[in-house]
Amino acid sequence: MTDSTISIARLFPDLLGTYGDGGNGLILQKRLQWRGLPAELIDVPSGEPIPESCDLYLLGGGEDAPQIEAARCLGHDGPLHRAVERGAVVLAVCAGMQILGHSFPDAEGKSVDGLGLLDCETVKSDEPRAVGELLVDPLDDGVAAGLPVLTGFENHGGRTRPGPTAIPLGVVRAGVGNGDGTEGVTNQLGAGKVIGTYLHGPLLARNPALADRLLSWVIGDPAAFHPIDDREAELLRADRLRAIAHGRTDGVVHRTWKDRLLRRN
Amino acid sequence: MAATATRRERRRLRAWSRLALAAGRTVAGASRLAHLGTGSVIGGKLALSLDHGLLRELAAGRDLAIVSGTNGKTTTTHLLAAALSTLGPVATNSLGANMPPGLVAALGNDRDAPRAALEVDERWVPRVLEQTGPATVVLLNLSRDQLDRSHEVRKIAQTWHEALAHLPVERVVANADDPLVAWAATAVTRNPRATSRASKLNGNTTTDPDHQTRTDRARHRTVPISLDAIETDPRVIWVSGGGNWTLDATGCPECAGRIAFATGGWHCLSCSFQRPEPEWCLQADSPSASTTSPAYAAHHIPTSEYWPLTLSLPGRVNASNATMVLAAATAMGAEPAAACRAMGAITSVAGRYKVATIDGLSVRMLLAKNPAGWQEAIELVAPPPTPCIAAINARIADGRDPSWLWDVPFERLRGRLVVATGERRHDLAVRLAYADVEHVIADSLTDAVHAAASTFDRREGFIPRVDLIANYTAFQDYLDEVGRDD
């Protein structure tokens, strides 16, 4: 590994790898490699030491018990805090975001301490689980300012309350998000940035512009950023936007009376 | 391997149960006439709503095997029904209706069969066992499936464990290579009721069953796993079928420590839980000069006997299913050589592995519903440069979030053209792009077949068979298109 190699760490894929968010790591790596920039993807299983020198850290979604175990492994004032202070970028999805807040609920709704890297707390909700397409307009003064609408799939029981210093990722156009009309929580901490969101899909597969925004923070050289052919991602985005426009936010299409009777979808 | 194949006098059903069954059959028939399908679910539902005890009554007195797991249930049940049919008639839910209504329909349609091989949805195993009484329980594997619907495979392992710890069980045939399955099966050794089928049938339960159940439940949490007990308990038959999906079992189900996988086994780094020594083992010989695929055999370790598995169904995964079946069928009294012959005659299973001709191209249809299933299916496809077709839907039955595509090792398809189709073909196309797999997008099955066929020069005469891998509702739609009869 040379000094110019960008390193991307996927934290605890064994605990936080249930929802396909690991794809975000592959996407970041490929978008660097396609541009001729060396990149390495490091999987850090739970129980192993977290390297402090990576450029990007990724946390994904997971179930209740593994989520608590992941929070325990990360620890307070641990290596992730130091990496962010130094300038690393963290992208945390769903359970990953909840862990990085001040607190999150366990399966019974009891509050568990989070890492405090994001100014938010997540609580258990009496409302039904938020499951479906999620569409988010980036905030004009947020980390995703100027990017096209963010699309993804949400699947969470908790509701997240951003704190006074928190800047959400965006405003919900369709779906639930944090539960108060906003979606995601972001934070500038030292030289680093932390982004939390409920968008699965994976997020960066559906929003390549956001992937490049994250990379621009660690590369710092826009000249290195020749465009990538994202026409297939555009087709995917158009397909998902069409599904929402047709009220098919749950992704169900072509449901005939026969399907209904056979309970096929 | 004691044979308990004596045909018992079938108890006559109560009049009300007969009426419920007849009503169910009438509705099922009407459903078939209306071309809605086999009608077994709707008919079974009606029958069960009229008589809640119907499953118990229909199962009584039969030598029963139930098959469950995330992947391979339907195929394994077909193979098991074939293997058991060497002993006599077998009732089975061959079309995959695997919840109580489907089971009632299958048993109700075949009331005289002394044996039954039933596929059971993994979430229904405890409820079904409670109703049917002692059975041979074949547990295949557990992995993530349908992200947005059934949460946590661990919870399923937990319900199996609890059921096997307190319900009377004839025997468990378990995949020793899957830590979650193995852990669920060890519950049998914590089950103090060494309930044999005979004592259950004669009503020889000596203690109050409710009280017993309560104490069992309390007990099985506190008694540590004993490896000796696990490997010597005659009610558990361990089978090593191999398995290469480990992502869902990295945490130890016994102590929450970490499981370490190594060739030929696994063990927990924190407690004594490890892969039990198998009684049956799947063996693969390397391909010889004359064959392209390996030859498989089931090795029965205590007797050092090898049973060649000459299956018509392809791949290591089916050889593994067949090894599980051989273990179960021989324990139920079948003769191994005859069971192997019977399994060899199965060529397609409810459309799976069916070879259809679509616009002049022969297409083999593979079903894969989740990452572990796709990983197995990718191993089966014809080698490059033969193209293949992949189809993804994301309806409720598929799981509405296709993010799991990123857990599938599509990188292994490099070197050939992949045609992406299905309702979520764009999600698939993006995944294939990041896997560096050459691909095109097709809007329909016909277009997909044309795209695949266009890679061949038809003037050269020989056009190879193309593989189609589809997830659940896509597969069902295509079966409707090409015709369901095998």
Side-chain angles (χ1 to χ4, degrees):
Chain A
M1 172 180 144
T2 62
D3 277 344
S4 64
T5 301
I6 304 292
S7 53
I8 304 156
R10 278 194 293 219
L11 299 186
F12 316 148
D14 51 332
L15 299 172
L16 301 175
T18 323
Y19 289 88
D21 301 307
N24 290 329
L26 177 66
I27 290 163
L28 291 169
Q29 184 194 29
K30 285 287 171 189
R31 294 183 80 81
L32 288 165
Q33 289 174 345
W34 287 340
R35 290 166 164 134
L37 301 169
E40 64 169 353
L41 186 56
I42 303 161
D43 278 329
V44 184
S46 62
E48 283 187 18
I50 299 167
E52 281 183 40
S53 59
C54 294
D55 300 290
L56 283 140
Y57 292 85
L58 305 173
L59 292 121
E63 305 297 342
D64 295 330
Q67 181 185 19
I68 293 168
E69 174 66 8
R72 200 187 58 76
C73 290
L74 282 167
H76 297 267
D77 300 318
L80 193 60
H81 291 74
R82 291 192 289 275
V84 174
E85 292 282 353
R86 179 185 47 74
V89 173
V90 180
L91 173 64
V93 181
C94 203
M97 164 170 76
Q98 297 180 353
I99 290 172
L100 298 191
H102 300 302
S103 66
F104 63 93
D106 67 8
E108 276 78 46
K110 225 170 66 215
S111 177
V112 178
D113 280 352
L115 268 71
L117 283 171
L118 289 170
D119 182 18
C120 65
E121 53 177 32
T122 302
V123 293
K124 202 177 166 74
S125 157
D126 297 331
E127 288 167 56
R129 198 175 169 84
V131 184
E133 291 289 327
L134 175 57
L135 204 55
V136 178
D137 289 306
L139 284 193
D140 286 340
D141 52 355
V143 295
L147 296 183
V149 64
L150 302 172
T151 151
F153 191 92
E154 64 181 329
N155 186 355
H156 54 101
R159 297 295 183 269
T160 296
R161 299 180 188 140
T165 70
I167 304 170
L169 183 61
V171 175
V172 173
R173 200 197 290 180
V176 176
N178 292 339
D180 63 353
T182 66
E183 203 299 299
V185 181
T186 67
N187 193 12
Q188 296 253 16
L189 202 73
K193 288 189 174 66
V194 185
I195 300 182
T197 176
Y198 277 117
L199 291 157
H200 298 288
L203 168 68
L204 301 182
R206 293 213 201 171
N207 304 284
L210 181 62
D212 285 351
R213 173 73 49 99
L214 299 188
L215 292 176
S216 74
W217 293 332
V218 296
I219 298 275
D221 176 17
F225 267 74
H226 64 75
I228 285 172
D229 180 355
D230 281 319
R231 276 175 295 181
E232 286 181 339
E234 285 307 321
L235 289 171
L236 168 57
R237 290 170 57 81
D239 176 67
R240 295 293 83 213
L241 293 178
R242 214 164 29 241
I244 290 174
H246 293 175
R248 295 190 259 102
T249 55
D250 58 357
V252 176
V253 286
H254 307 318
R255 192 164 187 237
T256 63
W257 60 276
K258 187 172 162 182
D259 287 328
R260 277 169 209 269
L261 271 166
L262 293 177
R263 316 187 84 219
R264 267 225 298 261
N265 61 5
Chain B
M1 278 181 269
T4 52
T6 48
R7 181 187 272 262
R8 293 185 185 85
E9 191 66 29
R10 171 67 18 83
R11 212 161 19 122
R12 275 176 65 81
L13 290 179
R14 288 179 293 124
W16 181 247
S17 304
R18 286 204 305 275
L19 186 75
L21 264 184
R25 258 198 222 109
T26 310
V27 171
S31 168
R32 270 193 299 277
L33 282 176
H35 297 289
L36 282 170
T38 62
S40 59
V41 171
I42 195 164
K45 262 192 179 162
L46 176 66
L48 263 180
S49 71
L50 292 172
D51 182 354
H52 298 298
L54 198 50
L55 183 53
R56 187 184 310 272
E57 216 167 330
L58 287 169
R62 306 204 212 214
D63 216 356
L64 197 71
I66 77 165
V67 177
S68 196
T70 308
N71 286 321
K73 293 186 283 286
T74 306
T75 302
T76 305
T77 305
H78 271 251
L79 292 172
L80 182 56
L84 291 177
S85 71
T86 60
L87 296 170
V90 181
T92 184
N93 50 342
S94 57
L95 292 171
N98 61 15
M99 294 186 226
L103 307 183
V104 161
L107 294 173
N109 286 340
D110 225 335
R111 279 185 36 212
D112 293 327
R115 290 176 196 81
L118 298 175
E119 167 189 345
V120 177
D121 182 281
E122 51 276 29
R123 287 160 300 176
W124 283 89
V125 168
R127 301 266 287 277
V128 167
L129 273 181
E130 219 157 23
Q131 303 250 319
T132 59
T136 296
V137 182
V138 182
L139 301 177
L140 300 172
N141 50 63
L142 279 175
S143 73
R144 59 188 68 184
D145 189 29
Q146 303 178 26
L147 290 184
D148 64 334
R149 196 168 76 164
S150 73
H151 300 116
E152 282 205 81
V153 291
R154 264 153 213 287
K155 272 184 199 148
I156 293 174
Q158 185 83 41
T159 63
W160 286 6
H161 190 102
E162 276 176 26
L164 295 177
H166 77 269
L167 291 174
V169 168
E170 180 89 14
R171 65 178 70 82
V172 177
V173 179
N175 181 1
D177 293 326
D178 185 319
L180 289 176
V181 166
W183 178 73
T186 57
V188 172
T189 63
R190 292 165 170 182
N191 186 338
R193 280 193 293 182
T195 318
S196 75
R197 184 171 190 81
S199 70
K200 162 87 180 177
L201 288 172
N202 300 334
N204 275 355
T205 27
T206 46
T207 33
D208 161 32
D210 282 340
H211 169 74
Q212 186 82 49
T213 300
R214 274 196 304 277
T215 48
D216 293 350
R217 277 188 175 144
R219 187 184 131 95
H220 87 260
R221 293 221 169 103
T222 52
V223 180
I225 284 183
S226 147
L227 268 177
D228 273 354
I230 290 169
E231 283 169 6
T232 55
D233 194 310
R235 292 168 298 172
V236 189
I237 300 171
W238 296 105
V239 180
S240 166
N244 37 24
W245 185 262
T246 56
L247 283 183
D248 291 305
T250 49
C252 175
E254 174 71 7
C255 77
R258 270 180 69 203
I259 299 266
F261 290 90
T263 328
W266 47 264
H267 64 278
C268 176
L269 297 172
S270 307
C271 73
S272 63
F273 189 40
Q274 65 179 43
R275 188 192 76 149
E277 279 304 315
E279 183 177 335
W280 290 84
C281 198
L282 171 64
Q283 304 261 316
D285 297 331
S286 325
S288 66
S290 59
T291 58
T292 51
S293 55
Y296 293 103
H299 178 197
H300 186 241
I301 292 163
T303 60
S304 300
E305 283 177 307
Y306 285 84
W307 302 99
L309 299 168
T310 44
L311 299 176
S312 308
L313 301 179
R316 190 205 61 81
V317 60
N318 283 315
S320 169
N321 292 337
T323 307
M324 298 285 293
V325 167
L326 204 55
T330 49
M332 292 173 76
E335 199 275 306
C340 287
R341 272 195 305 278
M343 289 195 286
I346 304 275
T347 54
S348 89
V349 174
R352 298 152 173 86
Y353 313 106
K354 174 191 176 87
V355 178
T357 305
I358 304 168
D359 277 343
L361 190 68
S362 90
V363 178
R364 182 173 63 165
M365 302 182 58
L366 305 173
L367 171 69
K369 296 189 260 195
N370 46 47
W374 275 82
Q375 186 170 307
E376 300 284 8
I378 284 171
E379 277 183 30
L380 295 181
V381 300
T386 307
C388 79
I389 304 170
I392 298 292
N393 280 1
R395 300 185 201 166
I396 290 172
D398 303 305
R400 296 171 299 169
D401 176 11
S403 293
W404 56 266
L405 290 175
W406 294 79
D407 294 331
V408 178
F410 283 109
E411 285 78 4
R412 294 181 192 170
L413 288 174
R414 281 178 198 160
R416 52 165 85 66
L417 176 76
V418 176
V419 185
T421 189
E423 289 161 4
R424 297 305 288 272
R425 55 194 174 278
H426 298 297
D427 296 76
L428 178 58
V430 170
R431 171 70 186 97
L432 292 170
Y434 283 102
D436 289 324
V437 173
E438 188 196 349
H439 62 280
V440 293
I441 300 171
D443 292 349
S444 68
L445 178 59
T446 318
D447 287 354
V449 168
H450 283 162
S454 68
T455 63
F456 302 119
D457 187 347
R458 282 179 192 260
R459 283 166 306 182
E460 283 179 17
F462 175 70
I463 306 276
R465 189 181 67 194
V466 164
D467 287 307
L468 158 71
I469 315 175
N471 74 337
Y472 185 66
T473 65
F475 190 86
Q476 301 302 330
D477 283 358
Y478 298 155
L479 269 190
D480 284 342
E481 270 182 54
V482 301
R484 285 181 173 264
D485 23 296
D486 292 329

